[in-house]
Amino acid sequence: MSSDSKIAKAASLLLHSPPGEVDDVFNDIRGIVNDDEALQEHIEPVLAESNMQQFLATTVPDTDSRVLITPYNRVGDTQFSDPNTRTVFTFDHLHRTARDAAPWDVPSDAQLHEPLRQALYDELLLYVRAHYADGSLGVFWHEGALVSCIVSNRFSPSNFWNGSWRSVWSFDPQSGQLNGSTKVRVHYFEDGNVQLDTQTDFAADVEDMDEKVRAKKVARLIRGFEAEFQQSIGDGYRQLAEKTFKGLRRSLPVTRSRMDWDKVANYTIGGELANADA
């Protein structure tokens, strides 16, 4: 395998980084490769994919608007759009900074569906603010559909855990089809390495109606699906505690009789007295 191939494979490890630990993995890769110039050539496209995969949030230059870095609002190699401020900006994936904001020439099909996009954004923003700690939202017109991205990260490396919730919802106004995918990743690494990585998909149909009413309906479905997913995770952990873990040990010892702990205590006391007399 060539040196470039080895570096490219090492760089690709970034895509598998646990939430909030990209910098740690990057520094480990730097130590392994030990050639920053060669690494930079391969790391930048991987960092771009990682940032979009994680729905990294940034502030649009010269505004207070927060926007997500996603594949759905990418308009160039390093350029992204913010439909809320109608601007396009350049994003530095290595340093994770936005710059060079400029007016965005909104495509005609996106302009046509802007009222519905804005109505859906407003409805989902209320939901995200009510149910997510430090949650971020983006709603974009992408390839004939409204794509809603929700992300919430909780990083606590000092307590040895990091976690993220990401969901993507695609709504086609023509067919009324709503498809969604929700993904949760948690990494716990105190005296070990335990990860939760789970994902589920949803689908529903939304009838044609007034834009604001339709946006409310879509937001209500998303809220219901995500609440169902969260409930299923809680139920899964309860089943682990109440059934699965108990199934990993015998209810009785190999003698098939219960342990008489009073006898054990007497044996212990008798042994201590014998030692004391000796």
Side-chain angles (χ1 to χ4, degrees), residues 9 11-12 42 49 68 74 90 97-98 100 104 109 143 157 159 183 210 218-219 230 240 248:
K9 283 189 175 295
S12 69
H42 296 280
E49 187 175 350
L68 302 182
R74 187 178 187 178
T90 299
T97 55
D100 301 335
W104 178 36
D109 57 338
E143 297 182 353
N159 292 311
K183 183 180 182 69
D210 173 80
V218 172
Q230 183 179 359
L240 278 175
L248 296 176

Side-chain angles (χ1 to χ4, degrees), residues 46-106:
V46 177
L47 278 173
E49 187 175 350
S50 174
N51 290 337
M52 290 187 290
Q53 189 182 81
Q54 298 297 323
F55 296 164
L56 192 70
T58 189
T59 301
V60 178
D62 305 320
T63 73
D64 294 326
S65 179
R66 296 282 288 173
V67 64
L68 302 182
I69 302 299
T70 79
Y72 312 109
N73 62 328
R74 187 178 187 178
V75 295
D77 288 342
T78 59
Q79 288 190 311
F80 295 83
S81 64
D82 175 24
N84 292 327
T85 58
R86 294 191 169 222
T87 57
V88 63
F89 58 91
T90 299
F91 189 75
D92 183 335
H93 289 285
L94 184 61
H95 300 96
R96 297 197 284 267
T97 55
R99 56 183 172 81
D100 301 335
W104 178 36
D105 186 12
V106 183

Side-chain angles (χ1 to χ4, degrees), residues 230-244:
Q230 183 179 359
Q231 181 68 40
S232 71
I233 294 175
D235 291 343
Y237 273 108
R238 278 189 290 274
Q239 183 172 349
L240 278 175
E242 295 171 3
K243 296 181 180 179
T244 306

Side-chain angles (χ1 to χ4, degrees), residues 79-262:
Q79 288 190 311
F80 295 83
S81 64
D82 175 24
N84 292 327
T85 58
R86 294 191 169 222
T87 57
V88 63
F89 58 91
T90 299
F91 189 75
D92 183 335
H93 289 285
L94 184 61
H95 300 96
R96 297 197 284 267
T97 55
R99 56 183 172 81
D100 301 335
W104 178 36
D105 186 12
V106 183
S108 58
D109 57 338
Q111 291 188 41
L112 180 64
H113 292 90
E114 176 58 22
L116 179 58
R117 188 208 70 81
Q118 187 64 58
L120 181 56
Y121 178 84
D122 291 342
E123 290 295 329
L124 287 177
L125 187 61
L126 294 174
Y127 162 62
V128 170
R129 286 176 173 172
H131 293 276
Y132 290 90
D134 302 320
S136 297
L137 167 71
V139 181
F140 313 105
W141 178 257
H142 177 74
E143 297 182 353
L146 285 170
V147 181
S148 304
C149 303
I150 299 172
V151 60
S152 181
N153 299 313
R154 297 296 298 272
F155 302 146
S156 186
S158 61
N159 292 311
F160 307 102
W161 63 266
N162 295 304
S164 73
W165 171 297
R166 282 175 287 141
S167 56
V168 183
W169 298 90
S170 176
F171 175 62
D172 183 346
Q174 289 292 109
S175 66
Q177 184 72 30
L178 174 67
N179 293 288
S181 175
T182 301
K183 183 180 182 69
V184 171
R185 288 193 70 190
V186 179
H187 184 208
Y188 182 76
F189 48 96
E190 183 177 16
D191 297 328
N193 182 12
V194 180
Q195 294 197 49
L196 166 69
D197 190 344
T198 183
Q199 178 177 330
T200 191
D201 300 324
F202 303 95
D205 291 314
V206 182
E207 61 272 21
D208 193 8
M209 57 186 74
D210 173 80
E211 287 170 345
K212 289 189 176 180
V213 177
R214 209 176 196 194
K216 287 180 180 292
K217 174 69 172 178
V218 172
R220 187 161 56 249
L221 285 168
I222 291 174
R223 183 168 60 246
F225 282 138
E226 294 195 346
E228 178 185 319
F229 179 49
Q230 183 179 359
Q231 181 68 40
S232 71
I233 294 175
D235 291 343
Y237 273 108
R238 278 189 290 274
Q239 183 172 349
L240 278 175
E242 295 171 3
K243 296 181 180 179
T244 306
F245 287 148
K246 287 184 178 179
L248 296 176
R249 61 183 293 273
R250 293 189 181 97
S251 56
L252 292 172
V254 291
T255 60
R256 307 302 297 169
S257 58
R258 294 186 179 277
M259 183 71 73
D260 189 335
W261 294 106
D262 290 332

